[in-house]
Amino acid sequence: MAATLPVPIEFHLPEGWLPVDPDTIGATGVAFAAVHPQPDGGFTANITIDGEYRPDAAALAQIADESVRRLGEFAESVTVTARHEVGSPDAPALTQRLTFAAEAGAARRDLVQSQVYLSVLDVADPRRRAVVRLALTATALQHGTVLAEFQDFVRTVGLSAGAEA
């Protein structure tokens, strides 16, 4: 069952990407999922969006570390190959790239996941913070091909007009 996001957002999918029910691609706990129109060797690159309110003061790097640990519960050889803090003090963000091996379909695959974490403070109560995660997962061979489309997608993400965090 698809999850809901802690804040309403707007975005535009790259041309050709198709929205899908997150459950159909095994993306539990995800609010939104889309797939690339051209699978690579039986694996379909996908974009997912999830998020949660964070009652703690965990830094985005700590939250990203939590994602690495969760991924390690079902994937092998999870490695953080890049991590960068981006954004501004008012709108902090973090990007990271992970490589790992996992069973997908009937085969073990080498996959790459690019993640973007966005931190959104509640304007009425700055102690309340939502963190939204955008992720691209693709085969190691296809990742370079779809990464630019994911980056274009990330640039379109923003709070829905009139939304309060």
Side-chain angles (χ1 to χ4, degrees), residues 3 15 134:
E15 189 173 327
L134 316 168

Side-chain angles (χ1 to χ4, degrees), residues 66-134:
E66 292 171 10
S67 291
V68 173
R69 282 191 294 280
R70 280 193 305 274
L71 185 58
E73 293 174 7
F74 70 89
E76 301 170 19
S77 307
V78 179
T79 303
V80 178
T81 60
R83 181 179 284 178
H84 305 283
E85 292 189 25
V86 296
S88 67
D90 293 336
L94 181 136
T95 64
Q96 77 175 1
R97 183 166 301 140
L98 311 172
T99 59
F100 59 97
E103 293 291 324
R108 183 179 180 278
R109 303 192 189 276
D110 291 327
L111 301 173
V112 178
Q113 187 172 84
S114 291
Q115 301 175 336
V116 177
Y117 294 84
L118 307 172
S119 181
V120 181
L121 292 179
D122 185 321
V123 293
D125 182 359
R127 294 170 298 180
R128 286 180 40 110
R129 173 180 64 146
V131 175
V132 175
R133 179 178 63 164
L134 316 168

Side-chain angles (χ1 to χ4, degrees), residues 5-6 34 47 53 59 62 64 76 90 118 122 128 130 141 145 151 165:
L5 290 174
I47 293 172
Y53 274 109
Q62 292 171 297
E76 301 170 19
D90 293 336
L118 307 172
D122 185 321
R128 286 180 40 110
L141 288 173
T145 305
Q151 292 167 333

Side-chain angles (χ1 to χ4, degrees), residues 3-75:
T4 57
L5 290 174
V7 292
I9 63 171
E10 297 176 342
F11 54 85
H12 297 285
L13 282 174
E15 189 173 327
W17 286 75
L18 305 167
V20 296
D21 179 341
D23 292 333
T24 65
I25 62 169
T28 57
V30 167
F32 178 83
V35 294
H36 191 268
Q38 298 173 348
D40 175 37
F43 183 85
T44 304
N46 59 79
I47 293 172
T48 57
I49 305 173
D50 64 85
E52 63 184 341
Y53 274 109
R54 292 295 300 218
D56 58 13
L60 288 177
Q62 292 171 297
I63 296 168
D65 286 340
E66 292 171 10
S67 291
V68 173
R69 282 191 294 280
R70 280 193 305 274
L71 185 58
E73 293 174 7
F74 70 89

